[in-house]
């Protein structure tokens, strides 16, 4: 296993369109996290899963955002009706229980 | 609520010089502290972590950090910087041992002059 992978690496979309990102964690990791990073800022927590259960959601995660991890393996993050303010790097991380988090390369979203 | 402050947005050092990046945290209980490095186009890589025990922790690439509870600090140090260390460095605090969520500082951009 080579680490956490994310797809796509880059996404350009028009305002109002829906986008979906995928994250594949390290295979034996039961926890999966999503963060958002804007220019000049550190990553901000969005949500996390333990297996298939979504255990916490940040107030940053508006109703337009939804995340799933249906079989406790990969996860998807969908943004509906994208806005220019959604432009950011979306980072995924995974961990085994409460151990350290390993991050993927991120998906850079640009909303025109 | 937990928070992290990295007071230096940019730091420039000469190759071979020593480095110290500052990090102050706010957290109501025993903090779990991390330093990550991010190079352009790369994900975040963990340099080192503090959970408990010895307050001086060693990490990868010759980095170390010291936890000082009285100062609420977790500063990152390296005795001799290499040009390849140029990157952005993030300090983070976790609610538990890396679990739940990490709260990151705004980062320090390190430039290394040859």
């Amino acid at each position: 296993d080579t680490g956490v992978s994310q797809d796509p690496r880059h996404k350009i979309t028009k305002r109002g369109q829906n986008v979906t990102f995928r994250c594949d964690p390290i295979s034996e990791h039961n926890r999966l996290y999503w963060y958002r990073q804007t220019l000049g800022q550190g990553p901000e927590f969005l949500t996390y899963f333990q297996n298939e259960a979504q255990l916490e959601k940040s107030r940053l995660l508006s109703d337009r955002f939804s995340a799933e991890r249906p079989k406790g393996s990969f996860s998807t993050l969908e943004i509906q009706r994208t806005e220019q303010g959604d432009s950011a790097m979306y980072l995924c991380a995974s961990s085994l229980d409460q151990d350290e988090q390993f991050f993927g390369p991120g998906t850079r979203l640009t909303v025109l | 609520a937990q928070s992290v402050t990295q007071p230096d947005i940019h730091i420039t050092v000469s190759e071979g010089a020593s480095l110290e990046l500052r990090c102050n945290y706010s957290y109501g209980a025993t903090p779990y502290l991390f330093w990550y490095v991010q190079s352009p186009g790369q994900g975040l890589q963990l340099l080192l972590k503090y959970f408990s025990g010895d307050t001086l922790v060693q990490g990868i690439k010759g980095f170390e950090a010291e936890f000082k509870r009285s100062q609420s600090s977790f500063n990152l140090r390296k005795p001799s910087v290499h040009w390849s260390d140029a990157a952005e460095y993030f300090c983070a605090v976790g609610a538990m041992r890396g679990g739940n969520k990490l709260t990151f500082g705004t980062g320090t951009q390190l430039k290394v002059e040859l």
Side-chain angles (χ1 to χ4, degrees), chain B residues 17-39:
Chain B
S18 63
L19 171 71
E20 183 169 24
L21 302 182
R22 295 183 291 165
C23 172
N24 292 96
Y25 68 90
S26 174
Y27 185 61
T30 301
Y32 296 94
L33 297 160
F34 307 84
W35 275 99
Y36 283 87
V37 60
Q38 188 176 39
S39 299

Side-chain angles (χ1 to χ4, degrees), chain A residues 1 3-6 23-35 48-49 69 72-73 91-104, chain B residues 36 98-99 102:
Chain A
D1 192 298
V4 179
S5 62
Q6 294 186 245
C23 170
D24 286 90
I26 294 172
S27 58
E28 64 267 27
H29 285 184
N30 55 354
R31 290 196 176 196
L32 187 147
Y33 306 78
W34 286 99
Y35 293 83
Y48 92 98
F49 294 83
R69 195 183 183 199
S73 56
L91 296 167
C92 176
S94 70
S95 71
L96 180 61
D97 296 320
Q98 295 169 351
D99 286 337
E100 65 197 66
Q101 295 176 34
F102 293 84
F103 282 81
Chain B
Y36 283 87
L102 296 178

Side-chain angles (χ1 to χ4, degrees), chain A residues 9 31 33 35 37 40-45 48 56 91 95 97-106, chain B residues 34 36 38 41-46 49 51 88 90 96-107:
Chain A
R9 295 290 304 275
R31 290 196 176 196
Y33 306 78
Y35 293 83
Q37 185 178 20
Q41 300 296 318
E44 296 172 292
F45 170 80
Y48 92 98
E56 187 173 348
L91 296 167
S95 71
D97 296 320
Q98 295 169 351
D99 286 337
E100 65 197 66
Q101 295 176 34
F102 293 84
F103 282 81
Chain B
F34 307 84
Y36 283 87
Q38 188 176 39
Q42 305 291 318
L44 291 159
Q45 181 183 23
L46 181 68
K49 60 191 177 188
F51 288 163
E88 189 150 25
F90 292 95
M96 299 179 72
R97 288 181 60 200
N100 294 349
K101 61 185 179 185
L102 296 178
T103 299
F104 286 84
T106 52

Side-chain angles (χ1 to χ4, degrees), chain B residues 3-7 22-26 71-75 91:
Chain B
S3 66
V4 175
T5 301
Q6 293 181 249
R22 295 183 291 165
C23 172
N24 292 96
Y25 68 90
S26 174
Q71 298 177 19
S72 298
S73 69
F74 189 57
N75 294 349
C91 181

